[in-house]
Amino acid sequence: MTRLGFVIESKACIACHSCAVACKVENNLPDEVWWNRILTDGGPNMDSPAGTYPNLSISTVPMACQHCENPACVKVCPVGATYKDAETGVVRQDYDKCIGCRMCVAACPYTGVRNFNWEEPKYAIGQPMGALDIPVHEKHVVEKCTMCWHRLAKGEQPACIEPCPARIRHFGDFDDPNSEVSKLVRENECSQLLEDRGTNPSVYYVM
């Protein structure tokens, strides 16, 4: 048994969006669809700071599916299309079972981490450019971060980890006390998003 997840040093994030782009390319995400986003808290526009120069401020929140230990989305799915993998703790989607009811979207407290494909997926370059072993995107299903399940199956890390130039994203097994992520949580003050909801996300942010 493992509990895979992330530790993100968000204060050191430079908002370059490399992780988001890597995710989009690796998973061949359709136009306008992002499973991994870097949200910025500052000015009125993305990546814009608050204040007046030179007194400016901005903070970042890398956001994707939180792969909760107690996922609200799994409880409400009427057909078992949203489920938690028993071996890894990864919250997964079965596109073949999904009936498009979007109950998981409504139940998830983390706004915007899921996408519903209202139409047939469209692509800017007109052809797939992601990994060969990813599921085909379909109309009328809900999608989200898979933690790059196809890469995990080969013993690789999610695609968002390696491209980060600031090396602020860490991935590993929280059930292993000697893993890098376990040590980071023990040795630093960390937070989880919406801790009061009882979902116990598998994403920790170093404060």
Side-chain angles (χ1 to χ4, degrees):
M1 291 287 293
T2 59
R3 182 190 169 208
L4 299 179
F6 303 89
V7 173
I8 301 176
E9 301 174 71
S10 53
K11 283 189 176 181
C13 176
I14 59 175
C16 68
H17 304 278
S18 295
C19 56
V21 173
C23 169
K24 188 172 182 69
V25 172
E26 175 74 18
N27 291 284
N28 192 39
L29 299 185
D31 293 352
E32 310 301 326
V33 174
W34 298 86
W35 287 351
N36 183 23
R37 298 168 296 149
I38 305 299
L39 305 182
T40 52
D41 184 12
N45 303 308
M46 185 174 76
D47 297 338
S48 65
T52 303
Y53 182 83
N55 301 310
L56 302 173
S57 65
I58 189 171
S59 60
T60 61
V61 181
M63 173 63 75
C65 174
Q66 300 292 292
H67 293 281
C68 304
E69 188 172 28
N70 184 31
C73 56
V74 171
K75 296 178 182 178
V76 300
C77 181
V79 293
T82 299
Y83 65 100
K84 188 172 79 166
D85 180 68
E87 293 299 319
T88 63
V90 177
V91 177
R92 301 189 61 191
Q93 303 277 134
D94 187 329
Y95 300 161
D96 292 333
K97 289 183 178 180
C98 181
I99 59 175
C101 69
R102 305 185 297 284
M103 290 292 290
C104 58
V105 178
C108 177
Y110 306 103
T111 304
V113 301
R114 281 174 166 75
N115 175 74
F116 181 70
N117 294 333
W118 290 96
E119 303 295 340
E120 290 292 342
K122 298 179 181 179
Y123 304 93
I125 64 172
Q127 66 183 40
M129 59 178 178
L132 295 176
D133 47 356
I134 59 169
V136 176
H137 301 287
E138 303 174 16
K139 179 181 178 180
H140 291 166
V141 300
V142 176
E143 298 185 336
K144 66 173 192 65
C145 162
T146 65
M147 208 180 280
C148 285
W149 183 259
H150 60 290
R151 292 174 63 93
L152 297 182
K154 296 182 288 188
E156 300 174 350
Q157 293 185 324
C160 61
I161 300 296
E162 294 178 1
C164 177
R167 298 293 183 262
I168 61 115
R169 300 180 70 95
H170 309 273
F171 176 76
D173 178 13
F174 288 114
D175 280 350
D176 176 4
N178 296 316
S179 69
E180 180 186 26
V181 291
S182 292
K183 291 177 181 178
L184 283 168
V185 171
R186 279 200 308 270
E187 296 170 2
N188 295 275
E189 184 179 358
C190 296
S191 66
Q192 298 161 293
L193 296 180
L194 303 179
E195 295 181 63
D196 60 327
R197 300 296 181 92
T199 56
N200 194 20
S202 295
V203 181
Y204 290 80
Y205 298 86
V206 177
M207 301 177 66

